[in-house]
Amino acid sequence: LYNTMDMINWMALQGQTEEISHAVQSLSRFYKLTLSRKKGISTIARELEHVTIYVQLQNMRYHDSIELITDIPDELSEYQIPKLTLQPVVENSILHGILEKESKSGTIVITGWMENEDIVLLISDDGVGFDMANAPGQESVGMKNVRFRLKYMVGGTMDIKSTPGQGTTVTITIPGKHKIQKTE
C-alpha cells in the first residue's frame, strides 16, 4: 500500500491524471477483493482477478517489466480457494525472483487443470530461483500462511520447486469437491 500510494503521489506531481485514475481504480478493486468478508474463502476466478490487479499495480511501479500469463479453464472458475492464495506466491515470484534478475524483468505463468478429483494450480516464474538444499525452513511468512490456509480451510497442499538461474514453480493442489453455485 505504501509503495503504491508513493507511486500515485509521483504520478500526481507529474500531472499524469489518466494513470492516477487507473492506479486508484485498480488499488480500490484490489482492496475490495482482499477485504471482502466471506470467511476467508474466495473463488479461483476472484483470486485470478486479484492477482492480475496486483501485477498491474506492480507493473506501474516497475515499468511493465512483469508479464503475467494465465491459463485456467473456465470450468474451474467457481471452485473454492482460500483468499490470498495466489497473490503471496506471485509477490514472492516478483520480489525474490524476477526483480533479483539483472534485467529486472520476467514472466509469471499461472495454469490450472483437473487431475482426477483435484484441482492443480501451477505458478511458475523465470526469476533467479534458489537452491532448495540451502533453504530448508526459510519459507516467508506469506508462504507459510498460504500453506496453512490451504491445509486447514480446504484440505489442500503446496509444493515448491526451484532451480538457481531458472526460476521457481509452486504447485497448489486443492480437492475439487467445493464448487460455489452461481445464482443469477
Side-chain angles (χ1 to χ4, degrees):
L1 177 61
Y2 170 79
N3 292 329
T4 303
M5 296 302 288
D6 192 48
M7 174 194 67
I8 292 169
N9 179 54
W10 281 106
M11 288 176 173
L13 292 172
Q14 295 173 3
Q16 299 176 351
T17 56
E18 280 190 45
E19 292 86 352
I20 292 168
S21 176
H22 180 68
V24 170
Q25 288 174 350
S26 293
L27 188 60
S28 174
R29 182 67 181 152
F30 178 82
Y31 279 106
K32 182 176 182 179
L33 290 167
T34 302
L35 301 173
S36 68
R37 299 177 188 209
K38 293 231 166 91
K39 299 181 182 176
I41 294 290
S42 188
T43 63
I44 290 174
R46 275 190 238 120
E47 280 294 292
L48 281 173
E49 180 185 8
H50 188 243
V51 81
T52 299
I53 293 168
Y54 175 76
V55 171
Q56 287 172 354
L57 289 166
Q58 295 307 306
N59 271 326
M60 288 179 197
R61 287 183 61 203
Y62 298 113
H63 311 290
D64 293 320
S65 62
I66 303 147
E67 182 178 9
L68 176 66
I69 299 169
T70 60
D71 183 18
I72 306 284
D74 288 342
E75 59 265 17
L76 299 183
S77 295
E78 296 305 312
Y79 280 93
Q80 291 181 348
I81 186 171
K83 284 173 103 177
L84 293 174
T85 295
L86 299 178
Q87 187 273 332
V89 176
V90 169
E91 181 175 345
N92 269 10
S93 291
I94 293 170
L95 297 178
H96 304 296
I98 292 171
L99 294 179
E100 293 293 320
K101 291 169 59 175
E102 190 173 319
S103 68
K104 306 259 187 255
S105 65
T107 303
I108 299 167
V109 179
I110 302 174
T111 57
W113 62 89
M114 288 294 288
E115 190 168 291
N116 299 319
E117 297 296 315
D118 295 333
I119 296 166
V120 178
L121 300 174
L122 200 70
I123 304 102
S124 58
D125 67 63
D126 61 358
V128 296
F130 61 92
D131 184 354
M132 301 223 11
N134 292 330
Q138 294 188 8
E139 196 168 73
S140 72
V141 171
M143 296 297 277
K144 285 180 184 175
N145 286 338
V146 169
R147 188 181 302 279
F148 179 83
R149 285 192 306 271
L150 280 167
K151 181 177 181 180
Y152 291 104
M153 294 177 82
V154 294
T157 62
M158 180 174 72
D159 182 56
I160 303 170
K161 301 235 183 294
S162 190
T163 304
Q166 294 182 19
T168 301
T169 300
V170 176
T171 305
I172 294 171
T173 306
I174 302 168
K177 60 186 174 190
H178 303 290
K179 187 171 183 179
I180 295 173
Q181 299 300 319
K182 281 191 170 187
T183 54
E184 300 298 323

